[in-house]
Amino acid sequence: QAHLVESGGGLVQAGGSLRLSCEYSGRTFSAHTLGWFRQPPGKEREFVGLVLWTGDTTHYADSVKGRFTISRDNTKSALYLQMNSLKPEDTAVYYCAATATLARGVPSRANDYIYWGQGTQVTVSS
């Protein structure tokens, strides 16, 4: 059974950095696109970015482009989200997720993902 666990969340001041990790197990995810989503308080879950299963190609939401970096290490069964220049509006619960195998295109909707972690809280103070 697939299992994803996020870690690394916390409280940080605006302008600071955090690195989130997502460890996955239960199956080989090398053929799955992996993504990060977030859910701000009182809002819908939104796409942050992804790394395609086809390689190291990444895509980001405009709101985080240039500040956030996604990477994956299949040898460690881990996905990372490096967040720099954090803003109060980045405050949210952050989730990692995985699509089904060999997903086509650039899946940026939550419904495109079938495996989810439990989330980790990121709070950015002003």
Side-chain angles (χ1 to χ4, degrees), residues 2-3 5 19-20 26-27 33 35 50 54-56 59 61 63 71 73 75 87 89 95 103 105 111 115 121:
H3 198 53
V5 179
R19 188 193 194 208
L20 304 185
R27 63 182 298 126
T33 288
L50 60 81
T54 53
D56 293 331
H59 293 269
S63 59
S71 60
D73 187 341
T75 65
K87 305 174 181 180
E89 52 263 43
Y95 299 88
N111 287 344
Y115 302 108
Q121 176 71 46

Side-chain angles (χ1 to χ4, degrees), residues 58-75:
T58 54
H59 293 269
Y60 299 93
D62 288 342
S63 59
V64 306
K65 202 172 294 183
R67 300 187 298 122
F68 291 11
T69 303
I70 293 174
S71 60
R72 68 189 292 173
D73 187 341
N74 288 331
T75 65

Side-chain angles (χ1 to χ4, degrees), residues 45-61:
R45 192 169 299 190
E46 62 185 33
F47 172 73
V48 174
L50 60 81
V51 54
L52 297 176
W53 68 269
T54 53
D56 293 331
T57 302
T58 54
H59 293 269
Y60 299 93

